[in-house]
Amino acid sequence: MTASSIAAPSSLPSSAKCFCRLWEDALFRRTPRNGARTTVDIQADRMVVKAKSSPSTPACILQPYPSQPPEPVTLVLLPGMDGTGMLFEPFIAALGDAFPITVVTYPPTADSQTYAGSLNLAALALPPKGLLVLLGESFSGPIAISLAAANPKRVVGVVLCCTFVRNPRPGLRWLSGLASIPAPLPPSRFLSAMLLGRFATPRLRLMLQNALAKVPPVVLRARLRAVVSVDVREQARTLGLPVLYLKATSDRLVPQLAVVEVAKYCRNMTVQSFDAPHCLLQAVPVEAAKAVADFVKKVWYRETEDSVCF
C-alpha cells in the first residue's frame, strides 16, 4: 500500500480530508505538519491519534463518520393564505423523493385565522424528531421565521418564498377595515391575474380555484387582516442559520422593498430570482424544486461535517 492510495479525494468535505491526512500520517509513521510523529490507537468507536516525541502536542480524538448515514433533513412546507397545502402539488412532484416532506395545513377554523393560532397549528404538525428545513410560502413566511427562532437546535435552514417579515404593503393598511366587511371573494379572473399573471394556464387556474373553494371567505378575510398587523422582525434578527429567499420578478403582491427588508434582518440570506408570478412554486415548480433541493443538500452536508469532532 502506498500513501497515494488513501489520499483524500478533492470532493470530500474539509473535515473528511483532515481525517484522511491524520490517518495517513499515523499509518505510515510520517511526520505531520507540526513536526511530531503519530501513532493510532483504535478504541472501540473512536480513534486516538497520539503525538510522539512532542509532549506539548495533545492527543487528537477522532470521531469517525457513523456506519449509518445521518438521518436526512425533513422539508416542512408551510402553505400560503389558502392554508390547504393543495397548491404544493406541482412543487412536490418536481422534488420527487429526494428527502422526506411534511405538508402543514391550516384548517378553516377560528384557530387558523390569526398568526398566533396558525403558528401553534404549525408547531404541532412538525415531525417529532430530526433536523428540519422550513419553507414558508407567502402568508407563512412569518410562521417559518417564528418556528425557526423557537427551534434553533432542530431547524437548520429556512426557505422563504414571495413573503415578508411585516405587512408588505404598509401604504394600504387602511384596507384592513374593508377586510372585515362580509363580501364574496373577488372574481376568479382577478385572482388569477394577481397571483398567476401571464403564467396562468387552465390547470393552474383550476388548481387555484379548487384550493380557494375549500376556505370560507370569512377565514380568508381574517388572514388578510392578520397580514396587515404581522411583524416578525425581531425573530428574524435572531436567525443565524442559512436562509434562501425565492423571489418572483413578476410578483404583483409582494414588492421588491419587502425582499430588501427581509434581507436586512435575516443576515445569512441568499436571494434567488425567478421569472415567475406570486405563485412561484406553482408556475415554475421544476426550477424552484432544484433550488430548494440544492439548498437542503447544502445545509445537510454542513450539519454532517459539523457533527465530526476533532
Side-chain angles (χ1 to χ4, degrees):
M1 180 184 297
T2 64
S4 61
S5 65
I6 63 168
S10 59
S11 60
L12 282 176
S14 58
S15 56
K17 292 178 184 177
C18 177
F19 174 84
C20 289
R21 286 197 301 267
L22 288 169
W23 171 255
E24 188 179 340
D25 288 343
L27 183 62
F28 296 102
R29 300 297 190 268
R30 191 173 63 189
T31 302
R33 291 167 178 75
N34 63 6
R37 296 176 69 83
T38 58
T39 60
V40 173
D41 179 14
I42 300 179
Q43 301 176 357
D45 61 345
R46 65 179 183 174
M47 298 179 187
V48 183
V49 177
K50 299 178 180 178
K52 296 180 65 177
S53 305
S54 181
S56 62
T57 305
C60 180
I61 309 298
L62 300 183
Q63 297 285 4
Y65 285 107
S67 57
Q68 296 294 329
E71 184 177 357
V73 175
T74 297
L75 177 63
V76 179
L77 304 181
L78 302 159
M81 189 172 289
D82 64 289
T84 64
M86 295 168 58
L87 295 176
F88 284 130
E89 180 187 334
F91 178 65
I92 293 175
L95 281 172
D97 56 357
F99 33 75
I101 296 173
T102 294
V103 179
V104 174
T105 61
Y106 309 134
T109 62
D111 291 339
S112 68
Q113 295 184 25
T114 65
Y115 268 108
S118 297
L119 176 61
N120 184 57
L121 290 170
L124 293 174
L126 294 179
K129 60 181 181 179
L131 301 178
L132 308 172
V133 169
L134 307 178
L135 187 155
E137 180 187 35
S138 188
F139 173 83
S140 284
I143 295 174
I145 291 171
S146 299
L147 284 174
N151 297 275
K153 293 184 178 180
R154 294 194 63 199
V155 179
V156 296
V158 174
V159 180
L160 301 174
C161 182
C162 303
T163 189
F164 40 84
V165 290
R166 61 173 174 166
N167 179 6
R169 299 281 185 179
L172 299 181
R173 182 178 293 273
W174 61 274
L175 288 176
S176 62
L178 297 181
S180 302
I181 300 175
L185 288 176
S188 58
R189 181 174 299 181
F190 173 81
L191 292 175
S192 175
M194 293 300 294
L195 299 174
L196 295 170
R198 61 184 171 85
F199 300 86
T201 64
R203 179 173 177 270
L204 288 179
R205 290 194 193 97
L206 181 60
M207 184 182 302
L208 179 63
Q209 183 178 344
N210 289 341
L212 293 176
K214 298 284 186 182
V215 190
V218 64
V219 173
L220 292 173
R221 289 197 300 270
R223 290 174 183 166
L224 180 60
R225 289 196 301 272
V227 168
V228 171
S229 58
V230 71
D231 189 339
V232 295
R233 287 176 293 175
E234 290 306 311
Q235 293 91 324
R237 196 193 302 272
T238 67
L239 299 183
L241 47 70
V243 176
L244 172 64
Y245 191 103
L246 306 182
K247 172 189 168 185
T249 58
S250 297
D251 194 333
R252 294 181 174 178
L253 294 184
V254 178
Q256 169 65 22
L257 287 178
V259 183
V260 173
E261 186 171 41
V262 176
K264 177 180 176 181
Y265 294 97
C266 295
R267 58 184 183 274
N268 190 14
M269 188 174 98
T270 300
V271 178
Q272 191 158 347
S273 298
F274 297 84
D275 182 20
H278 184 71
C279 287
L280 184 155
L281 300 180
Q282 295 72 35
V284 289
V286 175
E287 296 88 337
K290 183 182 184 305
V292 172
D294 289 346
F295 177 75
V296 173
K297 291 173 184 176
K298 177 181 176 181
V299 298
W300 183 81
Y301 286 147
R302 189 186 74 158
E303 288 298 312
T304 301
E305 184 171 332
D306 290 347
S307 68
V308 180
C309 299
F310 294 99

